[in-house]
Amino acid sequence: MKYLDKLGFTKQEITEVENNTPEMMIAKLKEQQKLVTANILFLKELGVTNYKRVFINYYDMFLMDNSNFISIFNQYDRDDLIDKIQKDISVIEYL
């Protein structure tokens, strides 16, 4: 999961992901690192500053096809969505 450090994750955050994620999912996250990276970069570019918390808690959604991932977020008003995610990342479950 070394690629996460290039996306701004600290060693502690990477360890948190590794310790709290099933091994099968870690293997998929490693195997699909380009896809995961593209989805994380989309959130960063969208303006979600707590994207690391979103990833740590909802890592499985980052395995979603990039165009589908983007379309989910583009359904909502950007500023309103960012504000809601900043206040409570569990809003991700309802997208």
Side-chain angles (χ1 to χ4, degrees), residues 50-82:
N50 59 341
Y51 67 92
K52 294 186 281 185
R53 283 275 109 212
V54 174
F55 178 75
I56 289 168
N57 289 283
Y58 300 100
Y59 55 83
D60 53 331
M61 77 177 285
F62 289 83
L63 292 168
M64 186 183 304
D65 177 74
N66 185 251
S67 61
N68 291 339
F69 187 86
I70 290 170
S71 69
I72 288 172
F73 289 91
N74 284 341
Q75 293 178 41
Y76 304 94
D77 176 73
R78 179 184 169 273
D79 294 331
D80 185 47
L81 181 60
I82 290 170

Side-chain angles (χ1 to χ4, degrees), residues 1-82:
M1 305 277 293
K2 286 285 224 182
Y3 67 95
L4 293 175
D5 65 353
K6 295 176 184 165
L7 296 167
F9 286 77
T10 64
K11 288 185 186 282
Q12 181 180 357
E13 290 165 331
I14 294 169
T15 300
E16 183 179 349
V17 171
E18 292 173 338
N19 289 341
N20 296 307
T21 306
E23 285 187 39
M24 182 181 87
M25 288 303 293
I26 288 180
K28 286 184 181 182
L29 292 168
K30 287 179 181 178
E31 178 183 302
Q32 296 294 324
Q33 75 180 44
K34 287 183 181 180
L35 175 61
V36 173
T37 297
N39 289 336
I40 290 173
L41 288 175
F42 172 75
L43 276 191
K44 285 179 70 172
E45 291 166 6
L46 188 64
V48 177
T49 57
N50 59 341
Y51 67 92
K52 294 186 281 185
R53 283 275 109 212
V54 174
F55 178 75
I56 289 168
N57 289 283
Y58 300 100
Y59 55 83
D60 53 331
M61 77 177 285
F62 289 83
L63 292 168
M64 186 183 304
D65 177 74
N66 185 251
S67 61
N68 291 339
F69 187 86
I70 290 170
S71 69
I72 288 172
F73 289 91
N74 284 341
Q75 293 178 41
Y76 304 94
D77 176 73
R78 179 184 169 273
D79 294 331
D80 185 47
L81 181 60
I82 290 170

